[in-house]
Amino acid sequence: MPFVGTFRVCEPGGFPLQEAIAEAVALPSVLATMVRSMIEAWPDDVYTQPLVTTRFLGRRTTYVCDPRHIRSLMVDQADALEREPFMLRALAPALGSGILTADGSHWRVQRRTAAPMFRPDRVRSFVPAMAQAAHATRTRWLSGDPSVVVRDILPEMMRTTFDVIVATMVSGDSQLKVEPFGRAIDAYLGQTSWKIALSMLNAPAWTPHPGARAGAAAALYLRGEVARTIARRRARGELGTDLLGLLLQAEDPETGHCLSSDSLVDNLLTFVAAGHETTALALTWTLRMLAEHPEIERRVLEEIGSLSSDLVSDPSAIDQLAYTRQVLLEVMRLYPPAPLIVRRTTTDLRLGDRTVRAGESVHVPVYALHRHHLLWEQPDAFNPDRFSPALTAARDRYAYLPFGAGPRVCIGMSLALTECLVILAKLLPAFRFIPAEAKMPSAQFRVTLRPKGGMPMKIVPRHVG
Ligand code: HEM
């Protein structure tokens, strides 16, 4: 089977020597594709088949694209899974062994500690901070240099969502600065594809690669900033009731010990990074998709305009934004901010009639699942009506996974959805967003799904004053 730049689908009974030669020949092109964007290295079958197994350098990976198998994997057999080593190699230098990267009891303690921050009543109490962050963005755009009308929307949204995270998770510690933080995250994520590719080649962790030095410096900077934030809080004397306060008061029920200093940094950095980057991407892709579909934007504006009360004084009014929510869900179907969920098996497990052996990789290619030909009619078309209550109820819940599933489901899901709705409700009636370039940016895998080359858009006030 010819393959250039993609993983080869495993064929039972293949001739090992022939396969090894074919792999060696294809290696440079597979690696180049992976570094460009890992999604492009997936075989086409992940868009049309329920289960696809590939072999690359002797390593088997099963791509799971059938909702029934996904449920079986991520819910029923979740205990047979652990973090995928290549993802750890990409993320652990910055995030250590925090809630996103840890397994077992270490993970459980961290998850339990953070959970109270994400209860529905707490999330609703964050609405004023979300509206405030959107207002600051609005003021920045209105008071900026009037000759600058084209801006890259991605860093703009990063700044807005960063403000929300700082306000809600560390009680607005104003010394945590968004621009250098954002630049460090860009530098860090920019080189993760090399780390993933080299890990798949079994190259040692110290292997030099483009961006390695900048990535290491970025990790150091991010961890240092977070450690200083923690030190400021300790110096204040009062620990507080925000996420940082909860982390500082957490106790491991098995040992009775508090979280170590490293563990505090791991977690706070995970929440700040995971909590704003993905949400900013969802908003960025949404603003662009609405600009492409003026009739859908009109419906969204009508819905926002007919809100019966202001979201700040009555956060429950958010429930009235049902169509806007459908739009957001449809955008995250086509552009899932977290496009790939990866695990390694710790014991043999069954998926339908297949056995996946202990130590193999199992991937849920969310980006492909959301465009799968067996699951979605006209999978590439943008149609928010897919998320109407009736169609949603008729669909398998595991066909749509922007926030993952099972015990490791995104802890910030309802916070993220609420935040996107509040920010859209505040910014869309105030500005028109016009793409600066006609061509939709391609989606590039950088652990998250980023628009290649950014998302330049003209931001035009709808009414002055
Ligand atoms: C649109 C925005 C977001 C998307 C698409 C998203 C997506 C995801 C996904 C897919 C996972 C599961 C990863 C896996 O199973 O390997 C995850 C986990 C996680 N997310 Fe989110 N996320 C978003 C927003 C947030 C926010 C706002 C926060 C926190 C403030 C957050 C914190 C986390 C954490 C801590 C985990 C790890 C949970 C665990 O392993 O127990 N995320 N997210």
Side-chain angles (χ1 to χ4, degrees), residues 74 83 87 98-102 107 110-111 114 118 165 168-169 243 267 270-283 328 332 335-343 366 401-405 407-417 419-420:
M74 298 191 67
R83 308 274 99 186
M87 208 47 119
I99 180 171
L100 186 68
T101 36
W107 162 74
Q110 302 177 75
R111 177 100 191 185
F118 299 94
I165 286 295
T168 56
M169 303 286 138
L243 178 82
N267 278 292
T270 299
F271 279 103
V272 174
H276 87 285
E277 216 252 343
T278 42
T279 316
L281 282 164
L283 284 163
L328 190 59
M332 287 195 291
Y335 297 100
L340 170 65
I341 294 173
V342 291
R343 298 286 189 273
V366 176
L401 294 185
F403 294 102
R408 306 298 296 250
V409 70
C410 176
I411 197 171
M413 175 170 72
S414 82
L415 191 155
L417 288 172
E419 181 177 348
C420 287

Side-chain angles (χ1 to χ4, degrees), residues 190-445:
Q191 44 99 54
T192 47
S193 295
W194 278 102
K195 290 208 182 304
I196 292 173
L198 289 169
S199 174
M200 292 184 111
L201 275 181
N202 301 321
W206 49 261
T207 310
H209 60 79
R213 237 190 242 183
L220 215 62
Y221 170 81
L222 292 167
R223 292 186 66 82
E225 276 301 283
V226 166
R228 284 185 282 281
T229 306
I230 295 170
R232 281 193 294 278
R233 176 65 61 89
R234 282 197 200 278
R236 206 175 76 177
E238 190 209 333
L239 298 181
T241 55
D242 58 7
L243 178 82
L244 178 50
L246 290 179
L247 293 173
L248 283 166
Q249 290 164 69
E251 257 184 24
D252 185 327
E254 279 163 30
T255 63
H257 294 154
C258 298
L259 295 184
S260 69
S261 302
D262 275 348
S263 192
L264 284 169
V265 173
D266 294 347
N267 278 292
L268 193 56
L269 181 53
T270 299
F271 279 103
V272 174
H276 87 285
E277 216 252 343
T278 42
T279 316
L281 282 164
L283 284 163
T284 299
W285 290 110
T286 301
L287 291 174
R288 174 70 194 227
M289 290 305 273
L290 285 176
E292 300 281 328
H293 297 86
E295 70 297 349
I296 293 175
E297 186 187 42
R298 211 168 309 120
R299 272 183 77 180
V300 168
L301 281 167
E302 270 169 30
E303 188 176 71
I304 295 170
S306 62
L307 277 172
S308 61
S309 49
D310 183 65
L311 294 176
V312 174
S313 53
D314 176 15
S316 69
I318 203 100
D319 297 335
Q320 294 166 28
L321 296 177
Y323 182 71
T324 312
R325 190 184 156 97
Q326 283 180 218
V327 169
L328 190 59
L329 297 180
E330 174 67 345
V331 170
M332 287 195 291
R333 182 182 70 81
L334 288 173
Y335 297 100
L340 170 65
I341 294 173
V342 291
R343 298 286 189 273
R344 183 67 62 97
T345 51
T346 53
T347 56
D348 290 0
L349 56 80
R350 297 284 298 169
L351 291 176
D353 58 3
R354 287 201 206 179
T355 299
V356 180
R357 299 271 170 228
E360 291 185 0
S361 296
V362 270
H363 293 183
V364 179
V366 176
Y367 181 86
L369 178 77
H370 287 183
R371 294 172 183 249
H372 202 282
H373 293 228
L374 298 177
L375 300 173
W376 305 92
E377 227 169 84
Q378 294 189 297
D380 295 328
F382 181 61
N383 175 12
D385 291 335
R386 294 180 206 272
F387 289 93
S388 67
L391 290 182
T392 302
R395 190 166 43 239
D396 192 311
R397 180 252 177 273
Y398 296 90
Y400 180 67
L401 294 185
F403 294 102
R408 306 298 296 250
V409 70
C410 176
I411 197 171
M413 175 170 72
S414 82
L415 191 155
L417 288 172
T418 304
E419 181 177 348
C420 287
L421 291 176
V422 173
I423 291 172
L424 289 173
K426 294 291 171 192
L427 292 182
L428 270 177
F431 300 97
R432 282 173 62 217
F433 297 87
I434 305 164
E437 288 155 20
K439 194 170 177 297
M440 186 79 176
S442 55
Q444 192 173 34
F445 179 89

Side-chain angles (χ1 to χ4, degrees), residues 61-114:
T61 300
T62 300
Y63 291 87
V64 190
C65 314
D66 178 320
R68 283 166 311 154
H69 295 326
I70 291 174
R71 189 200 144 89
S72 161
L73 179 75
M74 298 191 67
V75 181
D76 305 335
Q77 303 182 81
D79 287 345
L81 304 175
E82 63 180 12
R83 308 274 99 186
E84 164 73 271
F86 77 61
M87 208 47 119
L88 287 183
R89 179 148 155 191
L91 296 180
L95 302 183
S97 183
I99 180 171
L100 186 68
T101 36
D103 277 310
S105 61
H106 190 44
W107 162 74
R108 209 162 292 116
V109 173
Q110 302 177 75
R111 177 100 191 185
R112 223 175 8 228
T113 300

Side-chain angles (χ1 to χ4, degrees), residues 118-196:
F118 299 94
R119 293 207 183 108
D121 55 326
R122 198 77 192 253
V123 169
R124 288 271 153 112
S125 77
F126 297 153
V127 167
M130 295 163 179
Q132 174 59 39
H135 186 74
T137 300
R138 184 174 185 266
T139 308
R140 191 168 71 241
W141 288 345
L142 287 175
S143 60
D145 179 348
S147 65
V148 183
V149 282
V150 173
R151 294 172 189 260
D152 183 352
I153 292 293
L154 179 56
E156 293 293 329
M157 289 300 103
M158 294 272 190
R159 183 162 177 181
T160 313
T161 56
F162 189 86
D163 284 351
V164 174
I165 286 295
V166 170
T168 56
M169 303 286 138
V170 293
S171 300
D173 183 328
S174 59
Q175 290 187 55
L176 205 52
K177 295 279 179 245
V178 63
E179 277 92 3
F181 211 91
R183 274 197 302 276
I185 289 185
D186 284 352
Y188 190 78
L189 289 181
Q191 44 99 54
T192 47
S193 295
W194 278 102
K195 290 208 182 304
I196 292 173

Side-chain angles (χ1 to χ4, degrees), residues 26-60:
L27 201 58
S29 103
V30 174
L31 285 180
T33 308
M34 279 190 65
V35 168
R36 196 167 58 241
S37 179
M38 196 168 169
I39 286 174
E40 293 172 29
W42 295 343
D44 291 345
D45 290 9
V46 295
Y47 294 89
T48 56
Q49 303 298 320
L51 279 172
V52 181
T53 302
T54 61
R55 182 151 63 196
F56 181 62
L57 299 178
R59 179 175 302 156
R60 283 163 62 95

